[in-house]
Every structure is written in C-alpha cells, then in structure tokens.
Amino acid sequence: MTAVETGVKSVLITEEEIRSAVKKCGEEISQKYSGKKVLLVGILKGSFVFISDLAREITIPCEIDFMAASSYGSSTVSSGSVNITRDIASDLSGYSVIIAEDILDSGNTLSKIKKILLERNPDSLEIIVLLDKPERRTADIEPDKALFKIPDKFVVGYGLDFNEQYRNLKYVGEL
Ligand code: IMP
Ligand code: MG
C-alpha cells in the first residue's frame, strides 16, 4: 500500500531502510551471542513484524516467545499503569534474553517488563527497539540498541498501529 492509499501523511522510514537496519542488527546479535542460549522476547502486538524479520536475520540458534502488555489511558499516550496479559517462563536462568519492541516512547511498558524479567535471573538482558522516541520519555529506561531515533510524532506501520489499523504497512509513516 502506498502512503496515499492509506491516508498516511508521509513516509518516515522506508521499507529498504528498515530491511538493511534489521539485517545489520541480526548480524550483530549472531556475533555477540554465538554459543549462548538466546531467548528472543517479542512484546505483542506491536513487535510482531519486527521480531519476525529480525529472527530471520539471526543465524545462531534461538528461542522465540512473546509477552503482551496493555496500558490504559488514551489511545496515543501511554498511561503509567501497565498490565501483563501474556507471560513467558518464570525462570530465565541460563538464557541470554533479548527483548524486541516496536517503540520506546514514555518507557512505562518496557521499564515494567524489564524489571519483571530481571527478577527471573537471566544470564543477560538486552532491550532492542525498532524506534526510539526519546523526547517523551518519563520512565528511567534507555534501549541498549535502537534501530532508528524519531522525533515526537505519532507513527504507524511495520507493526505499529493506530486503533488497530496500519500494522500491515511495510514502512513507518506519520499519521
Ligand atoms: P511506552 O509509552 O514507551 O510505554 O509505549 C507503549 C506503547 O505505546 C508502545 O509499545 C506502542 O505500542 C505504543 N506507541 C507509542 N508511541 C507510538 C506511536 O508513535 N505509534 C504507535 N504506537 C505507539
Ligand atoms: Mg507496543
């Protein structure tokens, strides 16, 4: 779908830019975690496109699982309260955990998830986000790796939604 067909105002990050950044990220993970027991954790729903592309650029063995969190409040601003609605294993010892998330905005969601997973004793924990929107951060958290930094704009596509629409776009666009 083109931007014009969907009502997206402008394309912020193209399909090609995403593909090459994801490929590079997969190569880095494959080198860094060679010989380790890797668990890739996607946060639903927004990360489903990113993690499926990223996983296929990883050339070492890895397990994949998903968590889901819902935060309540208005649709474009995350509230402080985050609920885990789907969870992974309660013991992560022996695992090098890599959280893959669509976007780090206020940081509320990921700071809560990070805290929960660290209590489960993983060998290591890394947070990789497709997009980092640092201007709106309120929680004390930074990504270990962000593929793209974006300004304070509401974006959709490549897994990110507005009212559950636009997740299927191949690019990241501004609404
Ligand atoms: P947080 O504010 O860092 O807790 O982000 C919570 C969630 O809000 C993210 O995982 C996204 O699902 C969603 N979100 C934040 N900014 C955007 C955006 O620009 N577009 C679509 N979803 C967003
Ligand atoms: Mg999300």
Side-chain angles (χ1 to χ4, degrees), residues 43-47 69 101-103 109 159-161 167:
I43 313 300
L44 294 172
K45 300 176 197 172
S47 72
E101 173 64 313
D102 54 357
I103 187 166
T109 312
L160 292 118
D161 75 305
R167 293 192 197 275

Side-chain angles (χ1 to χ4, degrees), residues 45-136:
K45 300 176 197 172
S47 72
F48 83 104
V49 180
F50 177 42
I51 199 172
S52 72
D53 282 347
L54 180 62
R56 284 174 293 171
E57 299 294 351
I58 295 175
T59 53
I60 57 171
C62 76
E63 295 178 35
I64 301 173
D65 207 346
F66 292 93
M67 291 179 80
S70 57
S71 68
Y72 299 96
S74 92
S75 58
T76 58
V77 185
S78 162
S79 72
S81 75
V82 177
N83 247 23
I84 305 298
T85 55
R86 187 195 193 282
D87 207 347
I88 60 167
S90 56
D91 181 11
L92 297 173
S93 48
Y95 281 101
S96 297
V97 175
I98 303 171
I99 299 175
E101 173 64 313
D102 54 357
I103 187 166
L104 188 58
D105 185 20
S106 73
N108 288 329
T109 312
L110 273 185
S111 62
K112 167 124 185 216
I113 287 174
K114 181 180 180 183
K115 183 169 174 282
I116 291 171
L117 295 190
L118 280 176
E119 284 164 4
R120 298 179 187 179
N121 201 30
D123 281 13
S124 63
L125 180 77
E126 177 173 17
I127 294 176
I128 299 181
V129 297
L130 177 74
L131 306 175
D132 183 15
K133 208 196 269 185
E135 285 169 41
R136 302 213 318 160

Side-chain angles (χ1 to χ4, degrees), residues 1-11 171:
M1 280 182 284
T2 65
V4 173
E5 281 162 354
T6 58
V8 170
K9 195 158 74 181
S10 64
V11 176
Y171 52 85

Side-chain angles (χ1 to χ4, degrees), residues 144-167:
D144 296 293
K145 184 174 178 60
L147 275 54
F148 300 95
K149 252 192 193 156
I150 63 166
D152 183 11
K153 291 175 173 173
F154 195 81
V155 296
V156 294
Y158 201 74
L160 292 118
D161 75 305
F162 175 67
N163 284 346
E164 294 302 326
Q165 294 291 323
Y166 306 105
R167 293 192 197 275

